[in-house]
Amino acid sequence: MKRLVIGILAHVDSGKTTLSEAMLYRAGALRKLGRVDHRNAFLDTDALERARGITIFSKQAVLKLEDTQLTLLDTPGHVDFSAEAERALQVMDYAILVVSGTDGVQSHTDTLWRLLERYHVPVFLFLNKMDLAGADRAARMEELRRRFGSGCVDMTDPDNLEDLALCSTELLETVMEGNNPTPDQLARAISERTLFPCFFGSALKLEGVDDLLDALDRLTQPLPPREDFGARIFKVTRDDSGSRLTWMKVTGGRLNVKEELSARPDARKAWTGKADQLRLYSGTKSQLMETALPGTVVAVTGLADTYPGEGLGF
């Protein structure tokens, strides 16, 4: 089974957390669908977030599809908290960029697009709130292709072969031979950031969410296999009891509980520490793990000198 970290990013009020909630619900990870405006969204766990109705801290949840386990990172949409979102970009294998169907590409959407380009993160786009007055599919696609390039393709359009053919040489040759691109071919183009698949719907009404989940399952590639241990730290927090949590994504090998870890030569300072606990979080709940495999995001206790952006292992 593929293990991937998927980040959800958007300009504030585009429905990013609502989409996260809808994806978790449709994938069976939630029994009840929460709402941001009802202050019971699964991933808005902080009291200040619930009070303000916005995401301030990046949070994670785990959902399983047919062939893929996704760690979903819901990041802040408000520009005041963009540093938190940028730290999470360092561990994303793919991203979902949510665009409001009524407001279109906004200022912070542009900023996020440039950051995704800088970190070479493949992108799926979800055009949300398409059920509202003023949401125009054709206008939104024209805007996306004008702002972000011809690689933005409506994957729900049965007549999109000509647009797909413009995304890569491989897709062009396939279409010219009279064939439809295979999922593997599309996945390669997405991974190479020449194709940015676009989906339309309403997260609040669960419209278009299944199409997006299916694409994340079929049109993504597994992490390249690496034997040696490696990890990337993207944030450091404390739990309710005050324990220091080092949040990291395992990128290679495996991380075992009680394993001795140490700083790399290029770290700010030399340190060693023991991974006392490996916690797999989903919302506010966590479970202890014995081993974390590549593509897994874990919160590790017992490390006193780690910092966001630090790499471990090879």
Side-chain angles (χ1 to χ4, degrees):
M1 176 173 280
K2 292 181 291 185
R3 294 178 181 84
L4 299 171
V5 178
I6 308 287
I8 300 190
L9 305 99
H11 186 95
V12 68
D13 291 334
S14 295
K16 172 183 52 59
T17 300
T18 303
L19 177 60
S20 301
E21 197 86 3
M23 292 172 65
L24 291 166
Y25 179 74
R26 291 299 298 161
L30 292 183
R31 293 184 178 180
K32 182 180 179 182
L33 193 62
R35 287 178 54 158
V36 174
D37 55 345
H38 291 175
R39 291 169 171 57
N40 62 352
F42 180 71
L43 287 173
D44 278 349
T45 55
D46 186 83
L48 185 59
E49 292 177 316
R50 291 185 183 274
R52 295 182 60 180
I54 61 172
T55 301
I56 298 174
F57 309 104
S58 62
K59 256 90 74 246
Q60 74 177 56
V62 178
L63 61 91
K64 291 184 179 180
L65 306 176
E66 186 174 345
D67 296 312
T68 311
Q69 177 177 293
L70 299 181
T71 298
L72 205 61
L73 293 184
D74 184 18
T75 63
H78 199 287
V79 66
D80 290 348
F81 310 108
S82 57
E84 180 83 5
E86 185 169 358
R87 283 192 288 269
L89 279 166
Q90 301 176 44
V91 297
M92 293 180 191
D93 299 307
Y94 292 85
I96 302 168
L97 183 59
V98 185
V99 178
S100 168
T102 54
D103 299 320
V105 177
Q106 298 168 277
S107 58
H108 193 49
T109 318
D110 267 325
T111 301
L112 292 169
W113 183 263
R114 290 194 296 270
L115 286 171
L116 290 163
E117 185 176 31
R118 177 190 302 173
Y119 287 97
H120 306 289
V121 180
V123 182
F124 292 75
L125 290 112
F126 187 80
L127 283 296
N128 194 26
K129 303 185 180 183
M130 294 302 297
D131 57 317
L132 300 182
D136 186 316
R137 178 187 292 243
R140 292 284 79 84
M141 278 308 306
E142 188 279 329
E143 179 185 37
L144 289 175
R145 293 171 70 85
R146 173 168 45 83
R147 302 282 288 270
F148 299 152
S150 60
C152 297
V153 177
D154 181 356
M155 300 302 286
T156 64
D157 182 359
D159 300 318
N160 63 8
L161 286 181
E162 184 176 333
D163 292 335
L164 288 173
L166 298 176
C167 294
S168 72
T169 301
E170 181 181 27
L171 294 179
L172 175 62
E173 292 174 350
T174 298
V175 173
M176 291 295 288
E177 291 169 358
N179 299 318
N180 291 326
T182 66
D184 285 344
Q185 289 176 321
L186 295 173
R188 277 193 291 274
I190 295 168
S191 178
E192 294 166 0
R193 285 182 47 89
T194 60
L195 169 60
F196 303 99
C198 302
F199 298 87
F200 295 80
S202 168
L204 189 60
K205 295 185 176 180
L206 302 177
E207 296 171 357
V209 177
D210 288 346
D211 288 338
L212 178 61
L213 289 172
D214 179 65
L216 292 172
D217 194 29
R218 295 187 307 109
L219 305 182
T220 52
Q221 295 184 323
L223 296 178
R226 295 174 178 173
E227 294 295 327
D228 297 326
F229 168 71
R232 171 67 63 178
I233 298 167
F234 67 100
K235 68 176 179 176
V236 175
T237 64
R238 292 190 181 273
D239 65 12
D240 292 339
S241 66
S243 297
R244 191 176 191 270
L245 301 179
T246 297
W247 296 77
M248 65 180 72
K249 172 194 172 185
V250 179
T251 56
R254 59 179 59 208
L255 175 61
N256 298 312
V257 69
K258 304 301 182 183
E259 187 169 337
E260 291 284 346
L261 298 174
S262 60
R264 296 196 315 198
D266 60 354
R268 294 175 184 171
K269 60 180 287 188
W271 59 264
T272 59
K274 182 184 292 185
D276 289 334
Q277 291 183 340
L278 307 181
R279 300 183 189 176
L280 180 67
Y281 274 88
S282 193
T284 57
K285 297 180 179 179
S286 68
Q287 64 183 67
L288 297 180
M289 303 180 69
E290 293 293 321
T291 301
L293 298 175
T296 305
V297 172
V298 289
V300 182
T301 67
L303 306 179
D305 299 299
T306 51
Y307 57 89
E310 184 175 6
L312 301 179
F314 66 94

